[in-house]
């Protein structure tokens, strides 16, 4: 099962870990890439349209995301999200 952790912890977790993060999207970078934060740090997340599944969230909505951490050396960590839900 996925382990809920802080974004700061996720940034140093092992590549391919499955992580659950709770926080807010602060910025959309492009079609399916966003900046996500929980107050401890920021991380890039990829959320495809089918994963959103019609869910509408704003920057004020706290969400819970679960996905696979892509954390290769020399590249900024990113989470490939496969589930997203409102957390509040």
């Amino acid at each position: 099962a996925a382990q809920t952790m802080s974004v700061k912890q996720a940034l140093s977790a092992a590549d391919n870990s499955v992580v659950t993060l709770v926080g807010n999207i602060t910025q959309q970078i492009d079609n399916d890439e966003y900046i996500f934060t929980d107050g401890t740090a920021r991380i890039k997340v990829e959320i495809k349209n089918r994963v959103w599944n019609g869910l509408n969230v704003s920057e004020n909505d706290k969400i819970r995301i679960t996905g696979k951490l892509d954390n290769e050396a020399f590249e900024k960590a990113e989470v490939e999200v496969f589930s997203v839900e409102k957390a509040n």
Side-chain angles (χ1 to χ4, degrees):
Q3 188 183 353
T4 301
M5 60 176 70
S6 70
V7 172
K8 193 172 180 185
Q9 289 172 307
L11 288 170
S12 56
D15 187 35
N16 290 328
S17 303
V18 174
V19 300
T20 295
L21 305 171
V22 178
N24 305 73
I25 282 172
T26 57
Q27 186 190 343
Q28 182 164 3
I29 303 170
D30 66 24
N31 201 18
D32 54 12
E33 298 208 320
Y34 305 85
I35 298 292
F36 181 91
T37 186
D38 63 356
T40 66
R42 295 163 53 183
I43 194 166
K44 195 159 79 167
V45 299
E46 181 188 72
I47 310 176
K48 296 223 160 50
N49 250 338
R50 58 180 164 73
V51 175
W52 280 117
N53 199 18
L55 187 69
N56 281 315
V57 304
S58 74
E59 293 180 10
N60 303 320
D61 290 311
K62 187 168 271 197
I63 59 172
R64 182 180 294 108
I65 58 174
T66 299
K68 188 167 74 74
L69 185 69
D70 188 5
N71 200 6
E72 294 161 30
F74 313 117
E75 285 196 26
K76 280 211 159 129
E78 180 171 350
V79 179
E80 288 173 46
V81 177
F82 42 70
S83 108
V84 55
E85 61 186 7
K86 286 196 182 177
N88 42 1

